C-alpha cells in the first residue's frame, strides 16, 4: 500500500477510537484584552485561514517532503498495528491525519508571518541567493518547517507511556511496549530531519538557537514530569513563578527562538531579533494558558473533566489557598482512592485561580502586542495581532 493510500485510510482505521481530542493549540475563543479591532476575525479558523493567505500557501503543506519519505511510510504502517490499543501515540497520529481542517501548524505560521512583518534588512546580502515568495525568504520558510518538525517530534515523544505505572485498563503490556518503540523511532526520525534542515541553512547562530530551544524543551518536559507524584497525580507546590519558568521551557522557547532565528536569517540586528523573540515568547505563553483554562470554561459538565494539576488555573488556585488547604481539597475530592476531577473542577472554579489565569493570559497577550508595535503596519502584523486577540478572548 502506498503512503498516500495509507493516509487516506488511516482516519477510518482510527475512527473507532471515538471523538478526536484536538491539539492544545486548537482554540475557539471570544472576548479581548485590548478590545477587538473591527477588522479582527471572530473565529480561530478564520484568523489562521486569512493568515495563511498572507504568507503565500497553507502551512499544512510545509512538512510534505518528510511525510512522503519511505521511512515515514514504514513507520505509518507500524502505527496501524496499534489500532485497538490504548496507546496515546494513536491520539497524536489522529491529530495529524484526521480532521485536517483543524490540524493547524501554528508555530510555522507565526514564523512566516513575523518574517514578512519584519521584511528584509538593509544587510540581507547573505539571503539574496535565496528565492523570496510573498515577501518571505526560502530560508525562512525552511526554518518554519524545521520548527514544526521539532514540535511534532516532541508531541510524538510525549506519547511514550511510563510502563511502571500501567493499569489493567490501559491494555496489554506488549502493546504499550510496542507503541513506545514506535513513538521513539518516529520522534527521532522527525528530529533527524529537523537537524538535517538546520545544517542546510548554513547559519551557526540559527543552529545554536534551535539547538538551545530543543534542550529547553527536554528540560521543561523533565521538570513537568518531576513535579508530579505517582499517587493520584498530586503535584508539588511549584508556585506560579516556577510554573512560568517551566512553561516557557516546554512551550515558549521553541517559538520565541524560532522567531528570533527568522530575523537572523534576514540579517536583522539584535534589537529586531529581541522584539521577535518577545512576541514569540508571550504569544506562546498566552496559548498555553488559554488551553489550560478550557476545562474550567466549558459550559457542559461532561467536557474535558480531567485536567492537568500543573495547569495555570490550578497552580494559581493552590497559591491563593496555601499548601495545607489545597491538600485538604484534594483529599475531599478523592473517592475510592481516585481523584474525582468533576468535584475538584467545581471547587477550583469557585476560587480565584480561573480569573487570575485569564488575567495572566491577557497580560502575556498585551506583551505580545507591545512587541509588534516595533514593526511597521502591514497585513502580516495585523495577522499576528489577530492571533493574540483570538487567544485572549473568553466568554
Amino acid at each position: 500500500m502506498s503512503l498516500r493510500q495509507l493516509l487516506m485510510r488511516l482516519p477510518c482505521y482510527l475512527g473507532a477510537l471515538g471523538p478526536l481530542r484536538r491539539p492544545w493549540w486548537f482554540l475557539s475563543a471570544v472576548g479581548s484584552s485590548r478590545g477587538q479591532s473591527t477588522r479582527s476575525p471572530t473565529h480561530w479558523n478564520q484568523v489562521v485561514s486569512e493568515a495563511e493567505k498572507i504568507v503565500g500557501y497553507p502551512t499544512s503543506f510545509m512538512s510534505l517532503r518528510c511525510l512522503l519519505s519511505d521511512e515515514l511510510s514504514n513507520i505509518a504502517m507500524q502505527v496501524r498495528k496499534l489500532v485497538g490499543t490504548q496507546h496515546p501515540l494513536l491520539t497524536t497520529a489522529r491529530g495529524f491525519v484526521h480532521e485536517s481542517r483543524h490540524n493547524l501548524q501554528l508555530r510555522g505560521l507565526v514564523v512566516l508571518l513575523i518574517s514578512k512583518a519584519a521584511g528584509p534588512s538593509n544587510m540581507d546580502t547573505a539571503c539574496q541567493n535565496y528565492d523570496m515568495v510573498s515577501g518571505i525568504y526560502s530560508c525562512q520558510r525552511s526554518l518554519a518547517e524545521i520548527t514544526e518538525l521539532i514540535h511534532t517530534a516532541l508531541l510524538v515523544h510525549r506519547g511514550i507511556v511510563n510502563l511502571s505505572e500501567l493499569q489493567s485498563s490501559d491494555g496489554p503490556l506488549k502493546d504499550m511496549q510496542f507503541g513506545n518503540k514506535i513513538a521513539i523511532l518516529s520522534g527521532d526520525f522527525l528530529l533527524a530531519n529537523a537537524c538535517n534542515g538546520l545544517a542546510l541553512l548554513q547559519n551557526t547562530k540559527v543552529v545554536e538557537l534551535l539547538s538551545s530551544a530543543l534542550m529547553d524543551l527536554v528540560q521543561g518536559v523533565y521538570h513537568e514530569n518531576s513535579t508530579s507524584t505517582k499517587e493520584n497525580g498530586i503535584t508539588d507546590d511549584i508556585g506560579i513563578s516556577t510554573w512560568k519558568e517551566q512553561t516557557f521551557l516546554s512551550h515558549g522557547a521553541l517559538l520565541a527562538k524560532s522567531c528570533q532565528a527568522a530575523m537572523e536569517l534576514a540579517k536583522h540586528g539584535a534589537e529586531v531579533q529581541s522584539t521577535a523573540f518577545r512576541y514569540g515568547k508571550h504569544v506562546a505563553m498566552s496559548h498555553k494558558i488559554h488551553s489550560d483554562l478550557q476545562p474550567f470554561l466549558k459550559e457542559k459538565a461532561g467536557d474535558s473533566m480531567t485536567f492537568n494539576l500543573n495547569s495555570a488555573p490550578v497552580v494559581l488556585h493552590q497559591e491563593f489557598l496555601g499548601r495545607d488547604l489545597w491538600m485538604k481539597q484534594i483529599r475531599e475530592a478523592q473517592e475510592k482512592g481516585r481523584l474525582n476531577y468533576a468535584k475538584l473542577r467545581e471547587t477550583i472554579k469557585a476560587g480565584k485561580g480561573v480569573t487570575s489565569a485569564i488575567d495572566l493570559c491577557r497580560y502575556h497577550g498585551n506583551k505580545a502586542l507591545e512587541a509588534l508595535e516595533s514593526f511597521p503596519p502591514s497585513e502580516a502584523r495585523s495577522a499576528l495581532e489577530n492571533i493574540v486577540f483570538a487567544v485572549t478572548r473568553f466568554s
Side-chain angles (χ1 to χ4, degrees), residues 50-66:
E50 293 186 2
E52 286 188 331
K53 295 176 184 177
I54 293 171
V55 298
Y57 56 77
T59 53
S60 56
F61 291 106
M62 286 195 299
S63 300
L64 190 60
R65 287 175 294 174
C66 181

Side-chain angles (χ1 to χ4, degrees), residues 1 3 6-7 9-15 17 67 70-98 152 156-157 159 175-187 189-190:
M1 181 184 298
L3 177 60
L6 179 62
L7 290 176
R9 294 187 183 183
L10 198 50
C12 299
Y13 295 145
L14 302 179
L17 296 176
L67 288 174
D70 292 336
E71 293 88 349
L72 199 60
S73 176
N74 292 332
I75 292 174
M77 291 296 293
Q78 297 301 318
V79 171
R80 180 183 172 186
K81 296 178 181 179
L82 291 174
V83 174
T85 73
Q86 299 298 317
H87 199 283
L89 178 60
L90 281 176
T91 303
T92 304
R94 290 180 62 223
F96 299 144
V97 300
H98 191 53
T152 303
V156 173
H157 277 163
D175 289 339
M176 298 297 108
Q177 290 174 329
F178 178 74
N180 280 359
K181 292 177 181 178
I182 297 301
I184 293 171
L185 176 63
S186 53
F189 170 76
L190 293 173

Side-chain angles (χ1 to χ4, degrees), residues 272-329:
V272 177
Q273 291 186 31
S274 177
T275 299
F277 178 94
R278 292 198 306 274
Y279 176 82
K281 170 186 175 180
H282 290 294
V283 80
M285 295 293 287
S286 290
H287 278 156
K288 180 61 171 68
I289 298 168
H290 190 288
S291 174
D292 286 353
L293 279 163
Q294 294 313 297
F296 302 94
L297 299 178
K298 293 183 178 180
E299 295 181 0
K300 295 182 179 179
D303 286 344
S304 299
M305 198 56 65
T306 59
F307 50 87
N308 191 333
L309 295 183
N310 276 333
S311 62
V314 181
V315 172
L316 286 165
H317 175 78
Q318 177 182 341
E319 193 166 69
F320 280 118
L321 284 181
R323 183 66 174 177
D324 292 339
L325 286 177
W326 168 242
M327 293 305 298
K328 180 181 178 182
Q329 289 185 350

Side-chain angles (χ1 to χ4, degrees), residues 230-256:
K230 293 183 179 179
E231 183 179 0
N232 295 321
I234 298 175
T235 61
D236 293 335
D237 186 4
I238 63 174
I240 193 62
S241 296
T242 303
W243 180 89
K244 287 180 181 179
E245 294 174 3
Q246 294 181 3
T247 301
F248 171 72
L249 292 174
S250 58
H251 292 87
L254 177 60
L255 183 56

Side-chain angles (χ1 to χ4, degrees), residues 143-383:
L143 175 66
E145 178 181 342
I146 291 165
T147 301
E148 282 301 334
L149 286 175
I150 293 174
H151 173 66
T152 303
L154 178 67
L155 290 180
V156 173
H157 277 163
R158 277 174 179 251
I160 297 173
V161 174
N162 188 340
L163 298 178
S164 64
E165 298 181 13
L166 282 181
Q167 301 178 1
S168 57
S169 59
D170 294 327
L173 175 61
K174 64 177 184 178
D175 289 339
M176 298 297 108
Q177 290 174 329
F178 178 74
N180 280 359
K181 292 177 181 178
I182 297 301
I184 293 171
L185 176 63
S186 53
D188 288 351
F189 170 76
L190 293 173
L191 284 177
N193 275 269
C195 292
N196 183 59
L198 277 176
L200 292 175
L201 291 178
Q202 298 181 349
N203 186 304
T204 54
K205 183 174 180 179
V206 170
V207 172
E208 290 174 1
L209 283 170
L210 271 292
S211 298
S212 65
L214 181 56
M215 293 302 297
D216 289 341
L217 285 169
V218 173
Q219 184 180 354
V221 172
Y222 171 78
H223 285 309
E224 282 183 354
N225 293 337
S226 64
T227 53
S228 297
T229 64
K230 293 183 179 179
E231 183 179 0
N232 295 321
I234 298 175
T235 61
D236 293 335
D237 186 4
I238 63 174
I240 193 62
S241 296
T242 303
W243 180 89
K244 287 180 181 179
E245 294 174 3
Q246 294 181 3
T247 301
F248 171 72
L249 292 174
S250 58
H251 292 87
L254 177 60
L255 183 56
K257 293 182 178 181
S258 293
C259 289
Q260 180 182 351
M263 301 300 97
E264 164 64 22
L265 287 172
K267 296 304 175 183
H268 285 288
E271 184 176 352
V272 177
Q273 291 186 31
S274 177
T275 299
F277 178 94
R278 292 198 306 274
Y279 176 82
K281 170 186 175 180
H282 290 294
V283 80
M285 295 293 287
S286 290
H287 278 156
K288 180 61 171 68
I289 298 168
H290 190 288
S291 174
D292 286 353
L293 279 163
Q294 294 313 297
F296 302 94
L297 299 178
K298 293 183 178 180
E299 295 181 0
K300 295 182 179 179
D303 286 344
S304 299
M305 198 56 65
T306 59
F307 50 87
N308 191 333
L309 295 183
N310 276 333
S311 62
V314 181
V315 172
L316 286 165
H317 175 78
Q318 177 182 341
E319 193 166 69
F320 280 118
L321 284 181
R323 183 66 174 177
D324 292 339
L325 286 177
W326 168 242
M327 293 305 298
K328 180 181 178 182
Q329 289 185 350
I330 288 285
R331 289 191 294 269
E332 290 175 348
Q334 288 180 351
E335 296 178 358
K336 298 180 180 180
R338 287 184 174 272
L339 201 58
N340 185 332
Y341 280 90
K343 184 175 181 179
L344 186 61
R345 175 178 180 262
E346 296 307 312
T347 301
I348 294 171
K349 287 178 65 177
K352 299 180 180 179
V354 173
T355 55
S356 296
I358 291 174
D359 290 340
L360 185 60
C361 179
R362 289 174 173 169
Y363 165 80
H364 285 289
N366 284 328
K367 286 294 184 180
L369 292 175
E370 288 176 9
L372 289 177
E373 292 175 358
S374 300
F375 294 105
S378 65
E379 284 186 326
R381 172 178 151 174
S382 296

